[in-house]
Amino acid sequence: MNTHKRLFLGLLGASLLLVALLAAGTWYLIFNPARSIAYQVILFTMVSLLVGVVFLAFGGLAGIVITLLAARTFEPLQGPMRVAVNLFFPVALALGRLLRIDPNRIKRSFIEVNNQLVRARHLKVQPKELLLLVPHCLQYSECPHKITVYVDNCRRCGRCCISKLLDLKDKYGFNMGLATGGTLARKYVREYHPRAIVAVACERDLASGILDSNPIPVLGVTNERPCGPCFNTCVSIPMVERAIRYFCGLDKE
């Protein structure tokens, strides 16, 4: 398990510990004799729910670590793992900000953890069940051809990497959507009903997209931003192809 993955897992564990300490403090207040019975009952109900969530999330964190180490999925742990990630990812980000850790570093770590968890599922899909989602900023900024609605409007001039991604689409036969944001990305998911997604985006959009797409497995590939964010970005075509081949069962990792 490399350092990148340890960053997210460490912050996730610390977040769970902070919430557990909050539950312990609330438990102490319950038995403070200065409190009324009604107040104690309300606090007891709240802390009971909180403790249940924390225990479930701790089980999810353990499940994530076990899955990463074993490189295989354990079905009974999938629910707790989703609870741990979905509920405590925002807490981990907030804790990272307090520790002055770059949020993009945390999100990259999360994406790496997610990708390894997805690969541990050994899921194989047909190309028509696979969706490639890419951001509109991959298109050359001065291109006059609109491709967000119909990506095949691309003239494949080679000035951006969209033409190479379309070459992959022709080669493997998967569905492809070019999104301007989360709303259009969700529209493509509803339209194509994919069993798996390969997504290209910046760390922020990838992290939120992975969480939004749950339980559909997503392999994320971060884009490259030589001209800054959201402007003439690019992506490693070999990394995208590797993710596509993995979902199609053409590569073993």
Side-chain angles (χ1 to χ4, degrees):
M1 199 182 305
N2 63 32
T3 304
H4 293 302
K5 298 185 184 73
R6 290 196 190 102
L7 175 60
F8 171 68
L9 294 176
L11 287 173
L12 185 61
S15 301
L16 293 176
L17 183 59
L18 284 176
V19 175
L21 290 174
L22 175 63
T26 308
W27 183 266
Y28 170 79
L29 290 176
I30 290 174
F31 296 100
N32 188 328
R35 305 294 181 182
S36 68
I37 296 298
Y39 188 80
Q40 290 176 333
V41 169
I42 293 172
L43 281 179
F44 181 81
T45 302
M46 291 174 59
V47 79
S48 297
L49 292 172
L50 192 58
V51 167
V53 171
V54 168
F55 270 108
L56 192 62
F58 267 118
L61 177 59
I64 291 172
V65 173
I66 292 170
T67 301
L68 292 176
L69 293 175
R72 59 180 291 249
T73 298
F74 300 88
E75 284 303 323
L77 298 174
Q78 295 304 301
M81 286 164 60
R82 281 195 288 271
V83 170
V85 173
N86 291 343
L87 289 184
F88 288 90
F89 179 64
V91 183
L93 282 178
L95 180 59
R97 279 192 287 269
L98 286 175
L99 297 174
R100 299 184 182 278
I101 300 174
D102 181 3
N104 281 336
R105 278 189 62 205
I106 301 172
K107 291 169 184 176
R108 280 194 297 270
S109 178
F110 165 68
I111 293 163
E112 287 192 29
V113 169
N114 168 79
N115 286 354
Q116 190 164 336
L117 292 175
V118 168
R119 292 187 181 101
R121 295 175 64 174
H122 303 291
L123 176 68
K124 180 181 177 181
V125 303
Q126 297 297 318
K128 64 182 180 181
E129 299 172 317
L130 176 63
L131 173 63
L132 173 64
L133 277 175
V134 300
H136 70 99
C137 56
L138 289 179
Q139 185 181 17
Y140 178 56
S141 60
E142 297 183 16
C143 181
H145 305 289
K146 185 176 178 61
I147 62 174
T148 51
V149 176
Y150 186 59
V151 73
D152 285 318
N153 280 339
C154 174
R155 298 300 188 267
R156 305 196 186 198
C157 66
R159 300 195 72 173
C160 65
C161 62
I162 297 295
S163 60
K164 294 180 180 178
L165 294 172
L166 287 172
D167 289 342
L168 291 181
K169 178 177 178 288
D170 293 340
K171 180 178 179 180
Y172 294 103
F174 54 81
N175 297 303
M176 178 175 168
L178 190 141
T180 55
T183 300
L184 190 53
R186 286 187 287 271
K187 174 182 177 294
Y188 286 127
V189 173
R190 290 193 300 269
E191 179 180 346
Y192 292 113
H193 301 289
R195 289 183 59 210
I197 297 172
V198 175
V200 177
C202 61
E203 291 86 353
R204 182 195 64 186
D205 290 347
L206 264 184
S208 61
I210 288 169
L211 293 173
D212 287 345
S213 299
N214 201 351
I216 301 173
V218 179
L219 282 177
V221 181
T222 53
N223 61 6
E224 301 166 6
R225 303 177 285 275
C227 302
C230 301
F231 183 77
N232 287 342
T233 61
C234 52
V235 68
S236 168
I237 300 301
M239 289 183 67
V240 174
E241 184 170 16
R242 182 184 177 205
I244 291 165
R245 290 180 61 84
Y246 180 82
F247 272 137
C248 292
L250 300 173
D251 280 346
K252 293 184 179 180
E253 301 188 19

